[in-house]
Amino acid sequence: MQKVSKYWPYITIFITAVLILLPQIVTGSYILGVDSIFHMNRFYDAMMQLKTGHLNYFISIYGYQQSGRIINALYGPLTAYFSGFLLLITGSWVRFQIVTSLLTLTVSGFTMYNLAIRTRIKQIYAVFIGIAYMSSYLIMGWVVGMQFTGWGAAILPWLMAAGFDMIDNKEINVIKLALPMTIMLQTHLLSSLTGALALVPMFIAGMMHNPNRKQMLKNAVLAVLITLGLTANVWYGMFQISFTNHALGVAPQLNMYEDSIAFFGNNVFVLPPIYSIGFIIVTGYFIYHFKKLSTDRRVIFITGMLFLWISSVWFPWGPLDKQFPSISYLIQMPRRFVVIAFVLLLICFGIMINDSFKKEMLNTIKVYCLMVITFIMILSAGMTVQGGAKDFFSPQVVQNTYNLKYQINNTNLIRKSLTINNPGEVLKMLTKATPDYLPVQYKMTAYNYFDYHPYGNYGDQVINYSGNVKKIVKSNGHLELIWHNTSDDTKATQLPVVKYSDTKLILNGNHLGKVKQTQIGSVIVNAKPGKNKLEIYYQPTMMLRIMLWITIVSWVLLIFYFVYKIVKIKKSSK
């Protein structure tokens, strides 16, 4: 009973996560959202590699139509293989989604609750803050849309705890800063960059009031070096593959204003009213009490407001985008910055409600009001899940059909394929021509992106390829294509695989040098009459191999460090 009393906040958050997912758990449905098919290909590729032992870290040999695309090596590789492992264990997409959604909701609630406790907010209010965060559209983006920003948002409060140490204690705990930043980099690059930006004002504030600035700076540098070691596979892989190829970036947002947030308005992303009202109240409260606030709480509030402004329609995104067009490639949607505002302003809300009224009746009313608000937020999140579950049983099965292609007309088979222990089946029935990271053969800018029709070209040349080509994954992780040239002469043949600068090709036993490629990087080879074989694999540079080994060694050393600390604590306790 004492243990239950001790862990009741975590039990409450877990039960809340289950309640939010209840419509999906009861119906056994799968929510196919805006980014689902893209990430399902990633996880399926990782799962099949783990299942068969046919490993290829760089190119896709099972997912993305076995096209040889580089995706997982550039997009959260550690999380991709972890997700592939979960898919292998759970067996079906329905079970996988329920488990990962439950995990995302729970982790986000736990990290936010711990951050609130870290800020000396009372348990009851810290639980409210945790539930308010896990019920927000930021986290629910994963649950109903498989948007990876949801996972980045779930980990972010953990990183912010290290930032709070900078302004509170005027110190940097090296591992406490390096580990969450590492996990974020191995999960979602943009979320980690956003988190790093939020740490800057906290670091400056800590340095300004720290008599031992040299030690704090030393710890900061050490944390950065450890993070670089633990994520060398991510940042160096991104650097090399992006700059040695014309790797296609994400589709740019040509009107940054439309993807900025607002409290109200048209043609913009409007925040849910309950959060808008809460932020407005917090702003008024903190401005009124600003002179009485401690330095750490001022920094938290100012940083939260700064990121709210950056993500909003009030920031001059239009002129900035015209001056620096490439910014729309990197940021894509300004509203992504609002995740920092959500974390910090929710903490500010917790600080505000943490103050007690002199009259006990008012404190009781406050608690009841918070309980009503909590119920509304949980109900709203649950209804979002219910809507996704309802779509699963609708004639179209899919919640979001944007840029999605049905390869069969029988949606009952699609629905069934999401529940059986064969995750690859649905990826043949539903395809999406998302062309991210393709090795395009032209210089791409934010303004000519759609002129070259990368979505259409990938659909025509890879997804809906008309030739009869058989693809086999060899035990060494190489991909082999087999087809017949029915002509009596050597024939130039475009194949449904793409080539990067370090992708190697072996045609009928002969290594090929430079080959012709289409605009999106599909290879064109001279096929002899009769049976032809093309073997494709990726040969990383020596420097990239070194960086991969640095990552592995860094993780091994980190594990040994934790084992050493645990043993030391046990010995000291005895």
Side-chain angles (χ1 to χ4, degrees):
M1 193 66 185
Q2 194 174 4
K3 285 186 177 180
V4 173
S5 176
K6 184 180 178 181
Y7 296 109
W8 76 265
Y10 299 104
I11 295 169
T12 302
I13 288 169
F14 178 77
I15 292 172
T16 301
V18 173
L19 288 174
I20 290 172
L21 290 176
L22 207 55
Q24 185 178 12
I25 295 170
V26 170
T27 59
S29 54
Y30 186 85
I31 303 172
L32 267 160
V34 63
D35 287 339
S36 295
I37 294 297
F38 179 78
H39 291 301
M40 286 164 72
N41 273 278
R42 291 178 60 212
F43 304 153
Y44 175 71
D45 189 80
M47 185 213 77
M48 287 300 295
Q49 289 190 34
L50 294 173
K51 183 179 180 179
T52 61
H54 303 163
L55 302 176
N56 197 317
Y57 175 80
F58 293 98
I59 62 175
S60 301
I61 54 177
Y62 290 102
Y64 301 99
Q65 296 76 44
Q66 298 182 286
S67 57
R69 290 174 64 179
I70 298 177
I71 302 288
N72 281 340
L74 299 176
Y75 198 132
L78 186 67
T79 307
Y81 279 99
F82 173 70
S83 300
F85 177 69
L86 284 181
L87 181 58
L88 184 61
I89 293 172
T90 54
S92 75
W93 285 114
V94 168
R95 288 193 291 270
F96 170 81
Q97 188 174 65
I98 290 171
V99 169
T100 54
S101 293
L102 190 62
L103 197 59
T104 311
L105 288 167
T106 305
V107 167
S108 63
F110 285 179
T111 56
M112 196 63 184
Y113 166 79
N114 288 331
L115 185 63
I117 290 293
R118 162 71 185 74
T119 323
R120 297 178 296 280
I121 295 170
K122 293 174 186 175
Q123 266 193 338
I124 185 70
Y125 302 134
V127 170
F128 168 77
I129 296 301
I131 292 173
Y133 188 62
M134 69 189 285
S135 304
S136 70
Y137 78 91
L138 297 165
I139 306 301
M140 293 301 294
W142 169 263
V143 177
V144 297
M146 218 178 240
Q147 294 173 303
F148 242 70
T149 50
W151 259 111
I155 303 167
L156 186 64
W158 183 19
L159 178 64
M160 290 297 100
F164 284 20
D165 282 348
M166 297 178 194
I167 50 178
D168 254 355
N169 306 331
K170 315 297 184 295
E171 66 177 16
I172 291 177
N173 183 313
V174 175
I175 297 298
K176 194 175 177 181
L177 174 59
L179 191 57
M181 181 57 79
T182 294
I183 300 300
M184 288 193 73
L185 278 165
Q186 292 281 5
T187 301
H188 192 248
L189 183 62
L190 190 58
S191 293
S192 62
L193 294 176
T194 306
L197 283 174
L199 292 177
V200 172
M202 299 178 191
F203 176 74
I204 293 171
M207 286 287 284
M208 285 174 64
H209 298 91
N210 191 340
N212 193 1
R213 293 172 187 165
K214 190 175 180 180
Q215 184 61 44
M216 189 173 177
L217 183 61
K218 181 182 175 182
N219 286 357
V221 172
L222 185 57
V224 169
L225 291 175
I226 291 172
T227 303
L228 289 175
L230 292 167
T231 60
N233 63 317
V234 178
W235 58 265
Y236 188 81
M238 178 72 75
F239 174 81
Q240 184 188 314
I241 293 167
S242 296
F243 287 94
T244 56
N245 301 272
H246 292 295
L248 188 66
V250 294
Q253 174 55 261
L254 299 180
N255 190 336
M256 304 281 274
Y257 175 87
E258 288 183 359
D259 261 306
S260 302
I261 64 103
F263 291 145
F264 52 84
N266 298 315
N267 303 320
V268 290
F269 185 86
V270 180
L271 287 178
I274 200 163
Y275 293 95
S276 297
I277 294 167
F279 291 163
I280 291 169
I281 293 171
V282 163
T283 303
Y285 177 88
F286 270 73
I287 290 174
Y288 182 78
H289 294 280
F290 194 77
K291 290 183 179 180
K292 299 177 184 178
L293 296 173
S294 58
T295 302
D296 58 324
R297 297 188 173 190
R298 287 181 184 181
V299 174
I300 293 169
F301 173 66
I302 292 170
T303 306
M305 291 301 295
L306 176 65
F307 276 86
L308 184 64
W309 174 55
I310 291 172
S311 63
S312 72
V313 294
W314 301 293
F315 190 82
W317 282 114
L320 192 66
D321 187 32
K322 287 181 181 178
Q323 192 70 27
F324 305 101
S326 60
I327 202 169
S328 59
Y329 259 140
L330 178 64
I331 295 172
Q332 198 180 19
M333 301 174 192
R335 61 185 167 94
R336 284 178 170 172
F337 287 110
V338 82
V339 64
I340 302 295
F342 259 79
V343 173
L344 300 184
L345 295 183
L346 278 175
I347 289 295
C348 289
F349 191 87
I351 292 169
M352 181 184 73
I353 61 176
N354 203 51
D355 292 340
S356 298
F357 293 104
K358 290 180 180 179
K359 291 184 177 181
E360 192 59 36
M361 184 183 292
L362 293 176
N363 290 319
T364 304
I365 292 171
K366 176 175 67 175
V367 171
Y368 280 116
C369 285
L370 292 175
M371 288 174 66
V372 171
I373 294 169
T374 303
F375 175 77
I376 292 170
M377 289 188 295
I378 295 171
L379 183 65
S380 177
M383 287 177 68
T384 306
V385 175
Q386 187 178 22
K390 187 178 178 182
D391 287 325
F392 176 76
F393 294 103
S394 70
Q396 65 182 26
V397 181
V398 180
Q399 184 188 61
N400 191 306
T401 58
Y402 176 72
N403 203 34
L404 196 71
K405 178 77 173 177
Y406 290 83
Q407 298 295 338
I408 64 169
N409 294 322
N410 190 338
T411 53
N412 286 326
L413 289 177
I414 296 174
R415 194 178 292 109
K416 185 180 178 182
S417 68
L418 291 162
T419 63
I420 61 174
N421 291 352
N422 186 0
E425 199 66 25
V426 70
L427 300 179
K428 299 173 186 175
M429 302 177 186
L430 291 173
T431 56
K432 196 168 187 177
T434 308
D436 297 4
Y437 311 127
L438 283 173
V440 293
Q441 304 300 298
Y442 50 86
K443 187 176 180 180
M444 180 65 68
T445 68
Y447 291 107
N448 73 359
Y449 182 97
F450 295 103
D451 294 342
Y452 290 93
H453 310 292
Y455 283 82
N457 283 331
Y458 183 74
D460 294 338
Q461 296 175 26
V462 178
I463 294 176
N464 301 314
Y465 182 76
S466 57
N468 187 14
V469 175
K470 184 180 180 181
K471 295 179 180 179
I472 300 170
V473 178
K474 302 181 75 174
S475 59
N476 58 1
H478 293 190
L479 188 63
E480 187 174 73
L481 280 69
I482 302 172
W483 75 100
H484 285 80
N485 175 13
T486 55
S487 171
D488 294 331
D489 300 314
T490 299
K491 182 181 178 183
T493 306
Q494 181 257 311
L495 295 168
V497 287
V498 298
K499 180 186 182 304
Y500 296 82
S501 59
D502 291 320
T503 300
K504 305 302 177 184
L505 303 175
I506 304 174
L507 178 62
N508 299 321
N510 298 314
H511 285 268
L512 299 181
K514 192 173 182 180
V515 297
K516 290 182 179 179
Q517 291 177 261
T518 66
Q519 286 185 332
I520 63 165
S522 296
V523 300
I524 301 172
V525 299
N526 292 319
K528 68 179 184 181
K531 186 178 180 180
N532 287 267
K533 287 185 180 181
L534 179 72
E535 190 171 332
I536 176 172
Y537 65 99
Y538 191 88
Q539 188 173 40
T541 62
M542 180 59 70
M543 193 62 187
L544 186 51
R545 288 175 186 270
I546 290 170
M547 288 298 173
L548 288 174
W549 276 109
I550 287 174
T551 304
I552 294 168
V553 171
S554 298
W555 276 99
V556 171
L557 290 174
L558 182 68
I559 292 168
F560 274 123
Y561 169 79
F562 281 124
V563 171
Y564 166 75
K565 293 292 284 185
I566 292 168
V567 172
K568 189 178 179 182
I569 290 168
K570 283 187 176 182
K571 282 184 177 180
S572 63
S573 65
K574 286 180 182 179

